[in-house]
Amino acid sequence: DSGVTQTPKHLITATGQRVTLRCSPRSGDLSVYWYQQSLDQGLQFLIQYYNGEERAKGNILERFSAQQFPDLHSELNLSSLELGDSALYFCASSVGTAGDEKLFFGSGTQLSVL
Amino acid sequence: EDQVTQSPEALRLQEGESSSLNCSYTVSGLRGLFWYRQDPGKGPEFLFTLYSAGEEKEKERLKATLTKKESFLHITAPKPEDSATYLCAVQAGSNSGYALNFGKGTSLLVTP
């Protein structure tokens, strides 16, 4: 058990809808990262938050947004969903943002857009 | 742009048959190279971090090595429980927030 909690584990929705994925980092970790994993693209970095502030952006679509709350949990919002958004979404956390820190991953949320 | 390429995509070994997985990378300002293991339906699990060329790290039947252009994950006398996808990732400079950039992985199957 990595200590990172993601909910829900599975999500099935329709095209055009909006969903929210939730992540609770390990106790004491201030950084939260969101990744998308698909069969053809592998693990793609979406966005990172550190202590409530956006720290870095990767390949995140404009239809996607995220935030980190004062209690350090994070939410990833996906809107106007398309079939191609079906993927496994992972949250990871680390202690800080000083570099060369290993990330601890949650078990992921499997999103299916029908 | 950072690039991480892993080979082979898939590898099937018999129990006890040693082999190596390759991770080639191009990155400006490498801070660390990471190896993770991922089991089906689970998140990646940290194995090793390597920081500089010539460095080696070992854990049970696994040994990771690093050169200036690639890393190898050597698996000695593997067992069926070593079956998983092995992911390589690089961590670059501060403008990326130190996020990990992953390769697509090598899917390893070890048969009895």
Side-chain angles (χ1 to χ4, degrees):
Chain A
D1 182 7
S2 68
V4 178
T5 303
Q6 288 188 249
T7 57
K9 289 192 181 302
H10 303 277
L11 200 48
I12 301 174
T13 188
T15 55
Q17 295 299 304
R18 173 189 170 94
V19 297
T20 298
L21 313 183
R22 183 187 169 103
C23 169
S24 294
R26 291 189 322 152
S27 177
D29 284 358
L30 299 178
S31 272
V32 169
Y33 304 76
W34 286 97
Y35 282 83
Q36 178 192 59
Q37 188 174 42
S38 60
L39 286 175
D40 56 340
Q41 293 295 321
L43 262 173
Q44 296 286 310
F45 168 63
L46 297 178
I47 196 164
Q48 178 204 357
Y49 278 82
Y50 172 73
N51 203 21
E53 301 282 333
E54 184 184 300
R55 183 70 173 87
K57 266 187 174 179
N59 302 319
I60 188 165
L61 299 172
E62 286 190 9
R63 301 183 285 110
F64 296 0
S65 65
Q67 54 184 326
Q68 186 179 28
F69 295 88
D71 67 352
L72 300 177
H73 91 271
S74 178
E75 294 181 356
L76 179 66
N77 300 295
L78 314 177
S79 62
S80 303
L81 285 168
E82 302 175 359
L83 295 177
D85 297 327
S86 296
L88 196 51
Y89 290 84
F90 285 107
C91 167
S93 73
S94 67
V95 172
T97 188
D100 62 46
E101 294 177 345
K102 59 187 180 186
L103 304 188
F104 294 87
F105 283 81
S107 296
T109 293
Q110 179 68 60
L111 174 65
S112 299
V113 182
L114 306 178
Chain B
E1 185 178 314
D2 301 346
Q3 283 198 330
V4 181
T5 304
Q6 292 188 246
S7 61
E9 288 186 13
L11 181 62
R12 183 183 180 118
L13 300 173
Q14 283 204 317
E15 186 170 3
E17 180 187 1
S18 301
S19 188
S20 296
L21 313 182
N22 177 264
C23 171
S24 299
Y25 65 91
T26 54
V27 62
S28 53
L30 178 72
R31 294 190 65 89
L33 186 138
F34 294 71
W35 283 97
Y36 279 78
R37 167 189 171 130
Q38 186 175 20
D39 292 298
K42 294 189 176 181
E45 180 184 347
F46 172 79
L47 292 173
F48 304 108
T49 309
L50 302 167
Y51 298 101
S52 58
E55 189 175 0
E56 298 183 354
K57 287 194 176 172
E58 288 189 62
K59 179 180 179 179
E60 296 180 359
R61 295 177 292 282
L62 301 176
K63 182 169 82 172
T65 61
L66 181 65
T67 72
K68 288 186 178 179
K69 293 184 178 180
E70 57 192 350
S71 177
F72 292 93
L73 185 65
H74 307 279
I75 304 176
T76 303
K79 297 182 178 182
E81 53 262 43
D82 295 322
S83 297
T85 295
Y86 290 86
L87 299 167
C88 167
V90 296
Q91 193 174 51
S94 61
N95 60 348
S96 67
Y98 304 117
L100 297 183
N101 182 8
F102 284 85
K104 294 186 178 181
T106 294
S107 177
L108 174 66
L109 177 64
V110 182
T111 57

